């Protein structure tokens, strides 16, 4: 909310506080100061001067050389570029040394060779509005030599963020009340308008009929006849302009002034344009309404309207109608002041996308007790500014609702919650009293408080504790540090496991990416796995319509971005959540690790300008190095459109994840220079294999012996088949086998094209002795003969 | 014979000196000390030496043999040393090292999150988590948010067709944790993603990262909240960092505060930067939890607690002076590699 210091100062004398002090005061009362703007002239070195004479500048057509009286007794020469003045005009003159808006300092100097000892100013140059068309011509009775800011006091504008629990601060009076409580300064009580209101008189049915008492518990109207509408006086225009409101006409300006003064929205109708009495009712379905902003709105049955006998004349609390508003020709006025229930106003304002200063306050809640007072203040102002006569009474329908009552405070509980065991009851009482609460009773333990009608937020004991905390501030509360021995949770284990994976990958040259969890529908094709994604009902853009069912699409986008920057060695991973639609409704969220790699196995350097590009075996190797769980790679029967070589990684029955090659067509799309490989792993499955402490295995005490075997097999016999064979061998001396060569000859000269030669090293060892050659030979022979029986293999002997 | 021995010694030492490599030196050894070598031949002549000279000649012969043997041995070492020196000749150690697999990096968000987690774990906070697709009850109702609160609007919050929503804050994990708690105290932190229907620009993401904290027991005070968060921010930003608490409003805490830390930007005066929100858990939250649990573990008359939440993206930006939040989701390697360990 835009708040004027000079306006606030009409309610209490803040002259003993500097602007930063006021800013701190508000900040630590919970009112965030989002901006401070000094308006007008703060320096004394801008004075009223009178232009005595002027002549054309000898060397410049557009400049005049003026002799001015600055009140010092000595004429002063000023060169000026404006044209809008005549001899005898009074204007603001910035003397040398004056600092104007934007930090611009005035100095004595020469303009085209002629001395100029200051500057005569436009409104804009003084920071007073946007007028830059010429000098600011002041009224003829302005005393020459007087500092400009004595005649036009400077103002400070605070841009305040009022939290939704404090609607009572959405006015200058409300803020002044708060500042009075915080500083102890007295409020100028005659300005507390709520207390001086005329007692309302019950309106007759044909005058005001409320048909929606829940949405509008209280409606008042005051008739003022014979007004003369015109522009507002300077003081009123200045007040409104100071907080960024545009003056319209005296009546409308007065309602806006009262709104910003007291926080009570008012509406003035042109009485002669109303047909019959006022009705407060819900709109008919589809009812049309032409509002002040020139727009026609289609209303619904849950929109509250003010209507005459024929049509709606206002959307209650939100905006008045174009046809019944006050104009320059208005003679008779009906002044509305009412209490509308917040939820209805909020609903209507939101649905129509129509927010006003009025709806903003009603939907947060106004003080029901100020309704008559505000009407009274506006009436007084109208009578004094626009003339006319007011009817003696305010017509009212309904009752002001009681929104606050009494609250009991357990003071011990307050001390405990605040962590201030030494705080005395007297201090608590003093704080609440200066905030306007009235003590109804007090015992050693408890006190009972009557809440002022404007403090809608004070309903429960804890609300009073908050007030105490707010006023004493956290500086008064001693810091306490407690450590609690917390048992490790599943989430802790999962986090540590994930961090280890991250660190492991980063130390092997991978960059961790963090991509958005919302992806486009088009990106779903970049998932190597088929999954039903979860779509958002109200996406903000086509790029973010769906919760990702896989991290891979994000990594492919990451690859594309980096390729555009000229990078072709790509090593990325991301660890995070994916979202899967369940067939019977609902969804599942799971943590995954995705890896993308493409390009040379190591960065190019002077050792190797272009190292060999990675293949899918490098990806498999990287995964093997990540987990202690042995797994097999099982080629999938099908690939999704953007992938080849899709394979499942399995440890027994457990699926650890998938690997795949990005289809070359898709890789070309993103201008990849090398094949792109991706993997996605399920963290929970990976973690299953690595729980519990490692069990130590005794080191072999005797040396092992190795035997190599080369064999020819059909080219399409997967390695996994041979590995499975060796893994299943139970010979007591046999320890294990490893492949060390795979040879194929696509030309068919050294070996048939449909054959391949593979070579393995087999290791033998006994735990209790050094093996004899003959023992090893015998074991080896038996395993080889089993091999030839089990697999379509011809051992080379 | 004695003079023969003298000249043999001179000859042998000269030959040793002249040997250029190991094989030349071996030839010298064979020449003098081998089975048919000159020294060997002379020692075989000992039998012909008159008895009275045997002692003198024998001593001389030994002297020659020792001198030759030692000479060969030390020459051998000298040759090896020269060879070793030659092996590293011309190596330019100033060349760049081999890159190996290259240097990777953890994302700066991961790093800052881990720093935050490690710091809070030292105070005995355990980790907690909850779903990102949430019910309106967990995200709003249980957190004392009025039914017509603007945050629930479809303009601000992503919804799914089935009525659930994408959580707008990690505070829903407070609710999940208290619903499932077996006993007090509850002392958790929950890092996680949250969603708001914001256009992505230099300071906003539609998906962002938060860290939530909650401590509920029977005697938790505002002093605990203050002490914990002062400690936390001083651990993160330095022991002398000024931390201040400004009263604020959140539906699910009362009293509520925003936290500012005073930080210096490069070449600028230190200024207060808003970094987190916090407060004492509102009793209405405990009431909602009890209703859902069907018991009174969180008795609003005796149980108290504090909660806090901070934006990790913002923390990373402040910490590293990152000017555009989109860097955090672009994953440009030129950005990421600046954060290599």
């Amino acid at each position: 909310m835009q708040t004027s210091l000079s306006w606030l100062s009409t309610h209490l004398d803040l002259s003993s506080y500097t602007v930063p002090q006021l800013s701190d005061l508000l900040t630590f009362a919970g009112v965030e100061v989002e901006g401070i703007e000094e308006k007008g002239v703060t320096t004394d070195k801008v004075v009223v001067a009178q232009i005595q004479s002027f002549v054309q500048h000898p060397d410049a057509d557009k400049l005049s050389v003026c002799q001015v009286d600055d009140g010092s007794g000595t004429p002063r020469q000023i060169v000026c570029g404006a044209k809008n003045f005549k001899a005898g005009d009074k204007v603001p003159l910035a003397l040398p040394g004056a600092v104007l808006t934007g930090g611009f300092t005035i100095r004595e100097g020469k303009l085209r060779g002629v001395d100029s000892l200051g500057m005569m100013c436009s409104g804009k140059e003084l920071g007073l509005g946007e007028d830059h068309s010429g000098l600011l011509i002041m009224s003829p009775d302005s005393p020459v030599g007087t500092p400009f800011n004595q005649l036009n006091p400077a103002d400070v504008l605070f841009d305040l963020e009022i939290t939704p629990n404090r609607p009572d601060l959405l006015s200058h009076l409300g803020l002044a009340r708060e500042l009075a409580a915080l500083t102890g300064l007295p409020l100028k009580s005659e300005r507390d308008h709520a207390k001086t209101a005329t007692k309302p008189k019950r309106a007759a049915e044909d005058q005001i009929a409320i048909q929606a008492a829940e949405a509008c518990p209280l409606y008042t109207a005051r008739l003022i006849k014979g007004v003369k509408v015109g522009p507002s006086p300077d003081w009123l225009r200045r007040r409104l302009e100071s907080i960024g409101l545009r003056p319209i006409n005296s009546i409308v300006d007065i309602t806006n002034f009262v709104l910003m003064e007291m926080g009570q929205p008012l509406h003035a109708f042109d009485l002669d344009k109303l047909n019959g009495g006022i009705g407060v009712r819900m709109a008919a379905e589809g009812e049309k309404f032409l509002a002040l902003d020139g727009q026609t709105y289609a209303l619904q049955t849950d929109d509250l309207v003010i209507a005459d006998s024929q049509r709606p004349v206002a959307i209650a609390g939100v905006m008045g109608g174009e046809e019944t508003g006050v104009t320059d020709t208005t003679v008779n006025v009906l002044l509305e002041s009412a209490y509308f229930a917040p939820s209805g106003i909020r609903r209507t304002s939101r649905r129509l996308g129509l927010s006003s200063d009025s709806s903003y306050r009603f939907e947060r809640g106004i003080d029901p007790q100020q309704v008559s007072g505000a009407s009274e203040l506006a009436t007084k102002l109208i009578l004094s500014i626009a003339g006319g006569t007011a009817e003696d009474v305010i017509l009212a329908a309904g009752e002001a609702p009681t929104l606050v009552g009494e609250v009991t405070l357990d003071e011990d509980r307050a001390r405990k919650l605040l962590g201030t065991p030494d705080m005395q009851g007297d201090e608590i009482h003093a704080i609440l009293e200066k905030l306007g609460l009235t003590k109804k009773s007090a015992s050693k333990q408890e006190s009972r408080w009557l809440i002022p009608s404007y403090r809608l937020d004070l309903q429960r004991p804890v609300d009073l504790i908050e007030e105490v905390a707010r006023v004493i501030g956290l500086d008064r509360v001693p810091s306490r540090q407690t450590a609690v021995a917390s048992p490790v949770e599943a989430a802790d284990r999962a986090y540590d496991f994930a961090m280890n994976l991250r660190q492991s990958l980063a130390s092997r040259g991978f960059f961790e990416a963090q991509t958005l969890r919302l992806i486009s529908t088009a990106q779903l094709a970049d998932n190597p796995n088929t999954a039903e994604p979860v779509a958002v009902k109200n996406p903000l853009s086509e790029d973010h319509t769906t919760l990702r069912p896989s991290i891979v699409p994000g990594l492919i986008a990451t690859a594309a971005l980096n390729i555009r920057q000229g990078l072709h060695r790509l090593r990325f991973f991301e660890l995070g959540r994916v979202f899967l639609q369940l067939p019977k409704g609902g969804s599942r969220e799971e943590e995954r690790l995705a890896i993308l790699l493409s390009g040379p196995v190591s960065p190019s350097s002077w050792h190797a300008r272009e190292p060999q590009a990675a293949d899918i075996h490098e990806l498999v190797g990287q995964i093997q190095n990540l987990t202690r769980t042995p797994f097999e790679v099982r080629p999938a029967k099908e690939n999704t459109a953007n992938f080849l070589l899709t394979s499942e990684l399995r440890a027994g029955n457990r699926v650890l994840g998938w690997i795949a090659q990005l289809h070359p067509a898709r890789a070309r799309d993103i201008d990849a220079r090398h094949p792109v490989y991706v993997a996605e792993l399920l963290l929970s499955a990976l973690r299953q294999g690595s729980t519990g402490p490692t069990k130590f295995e005794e080191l072999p005490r005797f040396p092992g012996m190795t035997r190599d075997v080369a064999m020819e097999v059909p080219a399409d016999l997967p390695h996994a088949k041979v590995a499975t064979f060796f893994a299943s061998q139970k010979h007591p001396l046999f320890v294990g086998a490893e492949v060390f060569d795979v040879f194929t000859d696509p030309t068919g000269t050294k070996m048939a094209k449909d054959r391949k030669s593979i070579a393995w090293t087999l290791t033998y060892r006994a735990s209790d002795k050094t093996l004899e050659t003959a023992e090893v030979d015998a074991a080896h022979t038996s395993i080889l003969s089993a091999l030839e029986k089990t697999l379509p293999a011809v051992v080379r002997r | 014979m004695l003079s023969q021995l003298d000249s043999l010694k001179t000859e042998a030492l000269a030959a040793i000196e002249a040997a250029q490599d190991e094989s030349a030196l071996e030839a010298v050894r064979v020449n003098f000390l081998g089975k048919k070598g000159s020294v060997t031949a002379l020692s075989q002549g000992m039998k012909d030496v008159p008895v009275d000279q045997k002692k003198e000649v024998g001593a001389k012969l030994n002297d020659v043999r020792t001198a030759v043997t030692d000479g060969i041995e030390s020459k051998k070492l000298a040759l090896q040393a020269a060879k070793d020196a030659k092996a590293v000749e011309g190596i330019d150690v100033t060349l760049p090292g081999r890159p190996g697999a290259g240097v990777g990096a953890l994302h700066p968000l991961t790093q800052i999150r881990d720093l935050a987690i490690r710091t809070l774990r030292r105070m005995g906070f355990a980790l907690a988590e909850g779903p990102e697709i949430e019910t309106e009850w967990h995200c709003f109702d249980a957190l004392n948010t009025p039914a017509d609160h603007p945050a629930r609007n479809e303009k601000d919050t992503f919804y799914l067709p089935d009525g659930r929503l994408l959580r707008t804050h990690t505070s829903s994990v407070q609710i999940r944790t208290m619903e499932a708690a077996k006993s007090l105290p509850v002392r958790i932190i929950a890092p996680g993603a949250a969603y708001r229907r914001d256009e992505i620009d230099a300071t906003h993401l539609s998906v962002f990262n938060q860290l939530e904290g909650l401590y509920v027991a029977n005697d938790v005070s505002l002093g605990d909240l203050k002490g914990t968060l002062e400690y936390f921010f001083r651990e993160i930003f330095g022991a002398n960092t000024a931390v201040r608490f400004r009263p604020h409003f959140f539906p699910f805490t009362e009293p509520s505060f925003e936290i500012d830390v005073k930080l210096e930007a490069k070449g600028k005066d230190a200024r207060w930067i808003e970094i987190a929100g916090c407060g004492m858990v509102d009793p209405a939250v405990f009431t909602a939890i009890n209703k859902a649990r069907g018991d009174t573990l969180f008795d609003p008359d005796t149980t108290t607690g504090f909660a806090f939440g901070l934006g990790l993206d913002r923390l990373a930006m402040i910490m590293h002076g990152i000017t555009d939040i989109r860097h955090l989701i672009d994953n440009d390697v030129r950005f990421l590699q600046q954060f290599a360990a």
Side-chain angles (χ1 to χ4, degrees):
Chain A
M1 181 181 128
Q2 296 291 328
T3 309
S4 150
L5 177 57
S6 106
W7 193 332
L8 280 178
S9 302
T10 64
H11 292 292
L12 78 174
D13 180 7
L14 291 166
S15 57
S16 54
Y17 287 85
T18 64
V19 169
Q21 280 171 337
L22 284 173
S23 172
D24 270 5
L25 207 56
L26 289 165
T27 299
F28 287 98
V31 180
E32 197 170 334
V33 180
E34 294 188 319
I36 298 175
E37 193 188 341
E38 303 218 350
K39 289 265 208 175
V41 180
T42 49
T43 172
D44 292 342
K45 289 190 170 159
V46 177
V47 299
V48 179
Q50 186 168 32
I51 300 169
Q52 296 175 314
S53 63
F54 61 97
V55 295
Q56 171 79 45
H57 189 291
D59 291 326
D61 290 350
K62 292 188 172 165
L63 298 179
S64 310
V65 180
C66 311
Q67 302 301 322
V68 305
D69 174 8
D70 61 7
S72 65
T74 321
R76 183 177 282 271
Q77 178 169 300
I78 307 285
V79 178
C80 174
K83 290 286 173 212
N84 67 326
F85 58 86
K86 56 185 190 301
D89 277 349
K90 290 181 177 171
V91 296
L93 168 68
L95 298 170
V99 181
L100 300 187
T101 38
F104 172 53
T105 305
I106 302 299
R107 291 196 173 81
E108 294 186 2
K110 284 182 195 291
L111 276 170
R112 294 268 177 127
V114 176
D115 284 340
S116 182
L117 308 176
M119 184 176 90
M120 297 187 288
C121 305
S122 69
K124 189 178 181 187
E125 282 158 343
L126 295 176
L128 302 167
E130 291 302 305
D131 187 2
H132 198 44
S133 60
L135 299 182
L136 177 69
I137 307 295
M138 301 180 67
S139 84
D141 55 4
S142 310
V144 168
T146 315
F148 182 85
N149 59 11
Q150 275 186 22
L151 303 172
N152 297 279
D155 196 0
V156 177
L157 202 61
F158 293 99
D159 184 5
L160 302 180
E161 187 204 335
I162 308 294
T163 53
N165 60 327
R166 291 301 303 273
D168 61 303
L169 299 183
L170 289 170
S171 70
H172 285 85
L173 179 61
L175 283 162
R177 207 156 44 201
E178 183 77 1
L179 283 168
L182 297 170
T183 58
L185 290 170
L187 260 190
K188 298 175 185 171
S189 57
E190 75 273 17
R191 297 297 304 279
D192 193 351
H193 314 289
K195 290 177 182 157
T196 60
T198 306
K199 192 118 179 88
K201 178 195 157 216
R202 184 144 301 280
E205 262 300 294
D206 61 346
Q207 290 172 307
I208 305 172
I210 299 178
Q211 289 157 33
E214 205 173 308
C216 175
L218 172 65
Y219 191 95
T220 75
R222 188 142 194 187
L223 303 182
I224 303 161
K225 295 192 172 160
V227 299
K228 201 162 179 293
V229 181
S232 295
D234 276 355
W235 73 264
L236 179 53
R237 296 172 65 92
R238 251 204 321 272
R239 279 273 175 265
L240 296 181
E241 279 170 339
S242 75
I243 56 167
L245 291 181
R246 190 169 55 89
I248 294 168
N249 64 45
S250 52
I251 305 290
V252 174
D253 292 351
I254 287 165
T255 61
N256 281 335
F257 172 81
V258 174
L259 169 72
M260 293 303 173
E261 165 83 348
M262 295 181 66
Q264 172 66 45
L266 302 174
H267 186 66
F269 293 100
D270 186 329
L271 185 59
D272 300 322
K273 292 177 187 159
L274 297 178
N275 301 296
I278 289 286
V280 185
R281 61 165 169 88
M282 304 316 289
E285 185 66 35
E287 199 166 4
K288 294 277 192 296
F289 175 68
L290 176 61
L292 269 174
D293 61 2
Q295 307 275 330
T296 300
Y297 295 91
L299 304 178
Q300 293 182 357
T301 53
D302 55 0
D303 296 325
L304 184 70
V305 296
I306 311 303
D308 64 9
S309 60
Q310 294 171 357
R311 64 200 158 150
V313 292
I315 305 174
V318 181
M319 194 168 278
E322 175 74 27
E323 295 165 358
T324 53
V326 171
T327 66
D328 288 353
T329 58
T330 298
V331 179
N332 301 316
V333 171
L334 184 151
L335 181 68
E336 164 198 297
S337 183
Y339 177 88
F340 299 117
S343 58
I345 303 294
R346 195 176 302 154
R347 191 171 50 235
T348 295
S349 158
R350 201 140 295 150
R351 190 176 56 75
L352 298 176
L354 185 60
S355 179
S356 60
D357 284 327
S358 165
S359 67
Y360 191 83
R361 281 162 182 78
F362 278 124
E363 69 182 33
R364 279 161 179 75
I366 60 156
D367 174 6
Q369 297 303 329
Q370 74 184 6
V371 170
S372 309
S375 180
E376 186 77 14
L377 173 62
T379 305
K380 279 184 192 158
L381 288 170
I382 290 172
L383 296 182
S384 77
I385 290 170
T389 49
E391 289 200 354
D392 286 347
V393 292
I394 298 176
L395 295 172
E399 294 290 339
T402 305
L403 301 176
V404 292
E406 293 182 6
V407 178
T408 302
L409 180 65
D410 175 342
E411 288 163 18
D412 230 24
R413 183 154 167 76
R415 281 185 280 268
K416 269 191 168 165
L417 190 76
L418 296 172
T420 51
D422 302 333
M423 194 176 200
Q424 298 299 312
D426 289 351
E427 188 183 359
I428 296 176
H429 294 186
I431 289 169
L432 295 179
E433 275 165 353
K434 77 178 182 178
L435 287 168
L437 281 70
T438 312
K439 184 157 61 181
K440 302 297 280 187
S441 64
S443 67
K444 236 177 160 171
Q445 254 304 314
E446 289 185 348
S447 47
R448 189 160 175 80
W449 297 88
L450 176 67
I451 309 301
S453 62
Y454 49 86
R455 286 306 301 269
L456 306 179
D457 59 320
L458 304 184
Q459 305 281 348
R460 306 168 298 166
V462 68
D463 301 328
L464 301 195
I465 299 176
E466 177 184 39
E467 290 303 294
V468 176
R470 203 166 62 83
V471 171
I472 63 170
L474 241 51
D475 284 348
R476 266 283 303 280
V477 176
S479 298
R480 189 164 75 166
Q481 288 171 4
T482 3
V484 171
S486 297
V488 66
E489 298 287 345
D492 285 291
R493 294 205 174 89
Y495 177 78
D496 292 338
F497 180 76
M499 268 316 278
N500 284 341
L501 287 179
R502 286 188 171 102
Q503 261 143 3
S504 169
L505 282 159
S507 69
R508 282 189 281 128
F510 285 81
F511 287 98
E512 185 184 15
Q514 301 245 314
T515 61
L516 275 195
R517 286 151 148 83
L518 287 170
I519 64 173
S520 70
T521 314
Q523 278 182 286
L524 291 172
D526 283 341
N527 183 3
N529 198 31
T530 49
E532 195 58 41
V534 180
V536 172
K537 180 180 150 199
N538 55 336
L540 199 53
S541 78
E542 273 185 18
D543 293 338
H544 310 289
T545 57
T546 310
L547 281 162
R548 63 182 184 191
S550 159
I551 302 172
V552 172
L555 286 190
I556 290 173
T558 297
L561 179 135
N562 282 282
I563 289 170
R564 286 199 295 277
Q565 302 299 336
L567 192 73
H568 289 279
R569 180 174 188 270
L570 306 168
R571 296 289 184 281
F572 290 107
F573 73 95
E574 179 174 350
L575 228 143
R577 207 168 275 199
V578 302
F579 305 83
L580 306 165
Q581 183 76 49
L582 297 176
K584 287 181 182 165
S587 52
R588 193 174 76 230
E589 302 178 22
E590 68 184 27
E591 301 290 326
R592 291 190 183 174
L593 163 65
I595 299 174
L596 179 145
L597 66 85
S598 175
V601 290
S602 67
S604 75
S605 70
W606 61 276
H607 301 279
R609 190 68 212 280
E610 259 183 83
Q612 178 200 350
D615 55 18
I616 197 154
H617 307 299
E618 163 151 359
L619 178 61
V620 173
Q622 292 286 3
I623 298 168
Q624 279 168 341
N625 291 344
L626 265 188
T627 173
R628 278 161 53 199
T629 312
F631 60 83
E632 56 174 309
V633 181
R634 205 180 276 184
K637 291 194 177 68
E638 284 179 3
N639 291 290
T640 61
N642 284 353
F643 294 90
L644 295 172
L645 293 181
T646 309
S647 307
E648 207 170 60
L649 308 183
R650 295 183 78 109
N653 290 328
R654 205 160 82 231
V655 176
L656 298 186
W658 307 266
I659 58 169
Q661 179 181 346
L662 189 63
H663 197 288
R666 177 74 180 115
R668 280 191 294 274
D669 266 3
I670 60 169
D671 294 323
R673 199 175 278 172
H674 306 285
V676 179
Y677 302 97
V678 298
E680 188 155 51
L681 305 170
L682 313 179
L683 285 199
S684 61
L686 268 189
R687 202 149 72 84
Q688 260 185 51
S690 59
T691 47
T694 304
K695 286 280 176 262
F696 167 71
E697 221 173 87
E698 221 26 273
L699 303 184
R701 286 163 62 209
F702 297 93
M705 291 179 86
T706 60
R707 290 286 183 276
D708 291 350
V709 57
M711 64 190 111
E712 220 181 278
V713 295
D716 61 359
L717 180 75
H719 162 85
K721 283 253 157 61
V722 186
T724 308
F725 166 78
F726 284 122
S728 67
Q729 293 311 298
K730 299 277 191 278
H731 194 286
L733 299 184
F734 178 64
V735 178
E738 252 178 76
V739 65
F740 69 89
D741 189 39
V742 178
F743 174 78
T744 53
D745 183 7
T747 63
T749 45
K750 288 184 179 160
M751 192 173 25
K753 282 185 205 167
D754 60 351
R755 306 287 286 170
K756 66 180 172 190
S757 169
I758 56 178
W760 287 69
T761 293
L762 282 64
T763 303
Y764 298 91
R765 185 186 293 117
S767 59
D768 55 349
K769 60 174 184 174
T770 303
L771 287 177
E772 305 279 341
T773 307
E775 291 174 286
V776 174
D777 288 345
H780 194 57
T781 308
S782 90
I783 286 179
L784 293 191
S785 80
L787 172 70
E788 281 180 315
K789 272 183 206 142
T790 316
L791 294 174
V794 180
V795 173
R796 297 191 175 174
R797 290 194 165 85
Chain B
M1 183 124 178
L2 285 174
S3 65
Q4 242 180 310
L5 279 169
D6 277 337
S7 64
L8 187 62
K9 180 176 170 185
T10 312
E11 191 192 331
L13 292 180
I16 290 167
E17 182 61 36
Q20 289 296 315
D21 55 28
E22 273 190 56
S23 60
L25 188 63
E26 177 62 12
V28 173
R29 192 191 63 81
V30 172
N31 249 351
F32 291 90
L33 302 175
K35 277 182 187 160
K36 294 176 182 167
S38 337
V39 178
T40 316
L42 279 181
S43 49
Q44 279 162 357
M46 268 300 282
K47 60 182 188 294
D48 305 326
V49 175
V51 175
D52 60 337
Q53 292 175 24
K54 265 198 188 253
K55 191 177 174 191
E56 193 186 353
V57 173
K60 187 83 183 176
L61 188 64
N62 259 340
D63 169 51
V64 171
R65 184 177 285 123
T66 308
V68 174
T69 310
D70 290 355
I72 289 174
E73 211 37 55
S74 64
K75 180 70 179 186
K76 202 182 244 171
L77 288 175
L79 281 176
Q80 188 61 53
K83 204 171 156 190
D84 289 346
K86 194 154 178 104
V88 296
E89 219 173 74
I91 292 180
D92 180 359
V93 295
T94 65
L95 275 170
R98 279 187 219 277
V103 178
L106 295 181
H107 195 281
L109 262 175
T110 296
Q111 297 187 33
I112 199 103
R113 178 170 46 223
D114 195 50
L115 175 62
I117 288 174
R118 277 184 283 132
T119 305
L120 289 160
R121 276 180 162 182
R122 285 202 297 280
M123 297 188 88
F125 284 88
L127 285 178
E129 55 188 8
E132 291 172 25
I133 300 177
E134 259 302 2
T135 64
E136 203 168 339
W137 188 82
H138 285 93
C139 195
F140 293 125
D141 297 302
L143 287 161
N144 195 33
T145 311
D148 52 3
H149 193 275
R152 299 189 188 225
N153 209 275
E154 281 194 18
K155 210 170 112 264
D156 298 320
T157 298
F158 290 115
Y159 282 85
L160 301 187
D162 64 9
R164 290 181 301 161
L165 49 79
L166 304 187
R167 68 180 180 201
T168 56
H169 45 201
T170 44
S171 304
S172 54
V173 184
Q174 290 184 31
I175 303 303
R176 292 273 171 191
T177 307
M178 286 191 276
E179 262 187 306
K182 295 202 170 58
S183 60
L184 298 184
V186 169
R187 192 167 166 94
I188 57 106
I189 44 174
Y195 302 75
R196 263 172 226 175
R197 210 165 163 273
D198 275 338
E199 290 285 359
I200 294 175
D201 62 24
T203 53
H204 296 90
L205 292 178
S206 51
V207 188
F208 50 96
N209 296 278
Q210 291 189 326
L211 180 75
E212 190 79 14
L214 175 72
Y215 176 38
V216 177
N218 278 327
D219 55 351
V220 182
S221 77
L222 208 48
D224 293 302
L225 168 67
K226 185 185 173 196
T228 302
L229 291 174
E230 278 173 348
Y231 165 82
F232 175 74
F233 286 113
R234 286 177 186 151
E235 287 290 303
I236 301 275
F237 289 112
N240 297 319
T241 306
V243 180
R244 72 177 191 186
F245 295 76
R246 271 184 294 107
H248 198 70
F249 172 77
F250 302 110
F252 41 95
T253 49
E254 182 156 25
S256 305
F257 298 87
E258 279 187 335
I259 305 172
D260 301 335
V261 291
K262 198 168 197 177
L263 296 175
E264 276 170 47
K266 230 184 240 169
K268 285 183 190 157
D269 285 343
R271 59 190 188 94
W272 292 105
I273 293 176
E274 184 184 322
I275 197 119
C278 65
M280 303 303 293
V281 179
D282 195 296
V285 174
F286 292 141
T287 307
I289 295 284
N290 282 339
K291 208 171 154 199
R293 292 173 59 99
D295 65 12
T296 54
L297 181 61
F298 295 89
D299 179 354
D301 288 332
T302 54
T303 310
T304 52
F306 69 69
F308 59 90
L310 55 106
L312 291 170
D313 312 82
R314 189 172 156 70
L315 195 59
M317 290 175 77
I318 291 167
M319 192 93 149
H320 299 295
I322 298 166
T323 46
D324 188 325
I325 199 169
R326 288 168 292 198
H327 283 305
L328 295 174
I329 55 162
D330 276 352
N331 304 300
D332 188 319
V333 165
R334 295 169 302 171
F335 171 81
L336 295 175
Q337 68 192 1
Q338 295 181 27
F339 302 94

